[in-house]
Amino acid sequence: VSKGVKSGAITPVFCGDAMLMRGMEQFLDGLAWLAPSAEEKAGEVGLDVDGNPVELQVNEGASPAAIVFKTVADPFIGKLSYVKVISGKISTESQLVNMRTGNTERIGKTVMMCGKKQEDVKYIGAGDIGAIPKLTSTNTGDTLCSPAHKVVLDGVEYPNPTLSMAIVPKNKGEEDKVAQGMLRLSEEDPTLKFTTNHETHEMVLSGLGEQHLDVAVSKLKAKFGVDITLKKPKVPYRETIRKKVQVQGRHKKQTGGHGQFGDVWIEFSPCDSDGLEFGERVVGGSVPKGFFPAVEKGLRECILKGPLAGYPVVGLSAVLYDGSYHPVDSSEMSFKMAATLAYKAGMPQANPVLLEPIGLLQATVPDANMGDIMGEVNKRRGRVLGMNPAGEEKQTVEAEVPMAEMHDFCTYVRQVTQGRGSFTFTFERYEEAPSNVAQKVIEEAKAENGDD
């Protein structure tokens, strides 16, 4: 049996009771008796600076090289990096290079973990695992090695997050606390991603499924004392126009001293751009050149909020072609205001439409679940592009699906395939939203703005 386990032909299975700790002695004795020693099996092949393979032997006398395989974020003791030392030894006061960042990390302390207890040791030798506290810029999967003998070890490959939820703190004013806690937890668990969406003004947490995010929420409460709730994140829609219009924006205000006067004629039309394309064809000096930047600035501020639901406007061409000015009362501010008035008057007339983000879905599922997945894609307003065999009686379905419909797709795939299916979903482009969808989004935006 021992020979079979050592060669990899036999996989031993042990029974035990984690609550009453029964069977633990047999398990540990079995490991000592069955499993090969680090010297026999723990050597690895890394890559040197030029990308050539380098074989590392488990040898305490060699140059140190270790891989960080786990990170624990503790609010009291700080960051604890668990390392597996492949060759050499890591001792206190040694200096190692992090091959991902290129920074030198000074090792202040080396510890062995005995359950949750830390036992200080002089060094962690080759073939052993231990922990190093307070490594500032080192993350899970990083290689630490000697500056004289640089080598990169195989990191840990993690799956991409598939479910994103918006975070709402239960108590107002705790946003900073939530962000700090989540960043610490994402250091600990590389499959968690925490971002702040500046467009929708939401904090978004992404993970591998509902259970994963629930665990993160309870960890945040237990470790950092912050309560949060999760909700469906907002979808970043866009707006554009479908018709060419010519409008006037005239701003005139008379006060005690200087007045304000700005008058512009602008032609708005659709174009292929990610925002605003500004141009001018003013003849005869009806608007002095010095005021063109003010008109453009006014329009650039305006396109951040579209006429339908307040989403940013894309694909808009604005050409200043006429206007008038006053030698005394005209100023940059007056022309900026005139441009704003022209935008507000022209956009509703230019047949504005709502654009929704479309993503490319690649779902790999067992053959038996193909029909379910394709039916679900159609139900979510998706278009199936094709299927490819993925080996092991699996198929990959490719489809384009609106992002708004993909929120709980991760849960559906897991249920239907009993956890054997996986998928990736990446943003592709924006497309005009169907009128019934657009109407619903516009109503929701108006209700929310009304609340604000």
Side-chain angles (χ1 to χ4, degrees):
V1 172
S2 180
K3 277 181 184 171
V5 172
K6 283 174 182 172
S7 70
I10 296 174
T11 304
V13 178
F14 293 90
C15 296
D17 182 337
M19 294 295 284
L20 301 173
M21 299 299 283
R22 287 182 181 147
M24 291 301 122
E25 290 87 349
Q26 288 94 323
F27 168 58
L28 293 169
D29 288 344
L31 273 182
W33 165 57
L34 291 168
S37 72
E39 204 168 355
E40 288 172 65
K41 285 283 182 185
E44 283 196 24
V45 176
L47 298 173
D48 65 13
V49 186
D50 302 320
N52 301 318
V54 179
E55 202 168 320
L56 298 174
Q57 300 294 336
V58 179
N59 175 8
E60 280 198 5
S63 295
I67 185 93
V68 179
F69 66 89
K70 181 181 179 178
T71 307
V72 173
D74 191 288
F76 303 108
I77 60 166
K79 193 169 157 184
L80 196 62
S81 304
Y82 285 68
V83 294
K84 173 186 173 188
V85 181
I86 307 298
S87 72
K89 57 185 181 184
I90 295 179
S91 57
T92 52
E93 301 305 316
S94 58
Q95 291 198 344
L96 301 175
V97 175
N98 181 332
M99 291 301 285
R100 179 179 60 85
T101 62
N103 295 344
T104 302
E105 292 276 17
R106 192 182 179 85
I107 310 301
K109 190 176 169 187
T110 48
V111 296
M112 286 285 178
M113 301 304 292
C114 190
K116 283 191 176 180
K117 283 183 191 166
Q118 298 177 20
E119 292 178 2
D120 289 9
V121 288
K122 284 183 180 173
Y123 68 88
I124 308 164
D128 220 334
I129 59 173
I132 305 168
K134 296 175 182 171
L135 292 180
T136 48
S137 57
T138 298
N139 298 333
T140 305
D142 287 356
T143 300
L144 295 172
C145 64
S146 157
H149 188 250
K150 291 182 177 177
V151 62
V152 179
L153 297 162
D154 269 351
V156 188
E157 276 193 29
Y158 295 101
N160 291 321
T162 51
L163 179 67
S164 296
M165 297 287 272
I167 295 174
V168 183
K170 282 195 177 168
N171 302 324
K172 277 196 171 180
E174 287 197 331
E175 284 79 7
D176 282 355
K177 241 179 160 182
V178 170
Q180 284 169 4
M182 275 303 169
L183 287 169
R184 297 282 289 280
L185 288 182
S186 58
E187 276 180 0
E188 195 173 290
D189 180 356
T191 53
L192 271 182
K193 293 276 182 290
F194 173 74
T195 53
T196 302
N197 188 325
H198 296 292
E199 190 180 316
T200 57
H201 306 295
E202 286 182 323
M203 292 187 284
V204 179
L205 181 65
S206 308
L208 300 177
E210 286 177 3
Q211 221 168 356
H212 190 199
L213 296 188
D214 288 344
V215 169
V217 170
S218 54
K219 264 189 183 178
L220 189 71
K221 190 178 178 186
K223 282 191 171 185
F224 302 97
V226 187
D227 250 349
I228 58 170
T229 51
L230 298 175
K231 66 169 191 172
K232 190 176 170 182
K234 290 178 187 172
V235 177
Y237 292 98
R238 294 282 185 272
E239 296 181 28
T240 192
I241 58 169
R242 289 280 178 259
K243 203 169 87 179
K244 186 191 281 190
V245 291
Q246 294 181 333
V247 285
Q248 181 186 23
R250 186 180 171 90
H251 174 68
K252 188 178 181 184
K253 197 173 183 185
Q254 202 60 47
T255 51
H258 277 312
Q260 292 177 21
F261 181 82
D263 177 26
V264 292
W265 279 90
I266 298 175
E267 180 181 274
F268 292 108
S269 59
C271 72
D272 288 328
S273 75
D274 290 337
L276 173 75
E277 272 187 12
F278 179 75
E280 50 79 25
R281 55 167 194 265
V282 176
V283 287
S286 52
V287 177
K289 274 189 175 173
F291 294 132
F292 294 170
V295 173
E296 184 178 355
K297 191 179 177 190
L299 292 173
R300 288 208 181 277
E301 285 177 12
C302 286
I303 64 163
L304 298 176
K305 282 202 163 189
L308 292 174
Y311 288 101
V313 175
V314 295
L316 179 67
S317 166
V319 178
L320 173 66
Y321 68 93
D322 202 0
S324 59
Y325 75 102
H326 188 281
V328 178
D329 291 349
S330 285
S331 64
E332 287 194 1
M333 191 64 193
S334 310
F335 274 93
K336 193 175 158 189
M337 288 299 295
T340 305
L341 292 170
Y343 174 87
K344 285 181 177 170
M347 290 299 281
Q349 301 171 33
N351 190 7
V353 290
L354 192 75
L355 303 175
E356 63 177 352
I358 306 289
L360 178 69
L361 169 71
Q362 292 180 309
T364 303
V365 295
D367 291 343
N369 304 119
M370 282 290 295
D372 295 327
I373 295 297
M374 287 169 77
E376 188 66 17
V377 165
N378 290 329
K379 206 190 287 180
R380 291 171 187 257
R381 299 193 287 119
R383 289 188 296 271
V384 176
L385 303 176
M387 292 165 292
N388 301 308
E392 296 178 14
E393 297 181 358
K394 285 187 174 182
Q395 298 267 354
T396 299
V397 182
E398 277 199 11
E400 288 185 343
V401 193
M403 272 190 180
E405 304 290 335
M406 285 294 289
H407 170 64
D408 56 352
F409 188 71
C410 158
T411 312
Y412 177 81
V413 169
R414 201 157 288 170
Q415 283 172 348
V416 165
T417 64
Q418 284 88 44
R420 287 176 296 164
S422 62
F423 73 95
T424 60
F425 186 65
T426 49
F427 170 74
E428 279 285 294
R429 62 179 184 282
Y430 278 94
E431 258 182 30
E432 192 173 329
S435 55
N436 58 332
V437 174
Q439 196 55 44
K440 195 177 168 191
V441 171
I442 292 164
E443 280 168 14
E444 282 173 9
K446 280 181 180 167
E448 197 172 301
N449 292 337
D451 292 348
D452 292 350

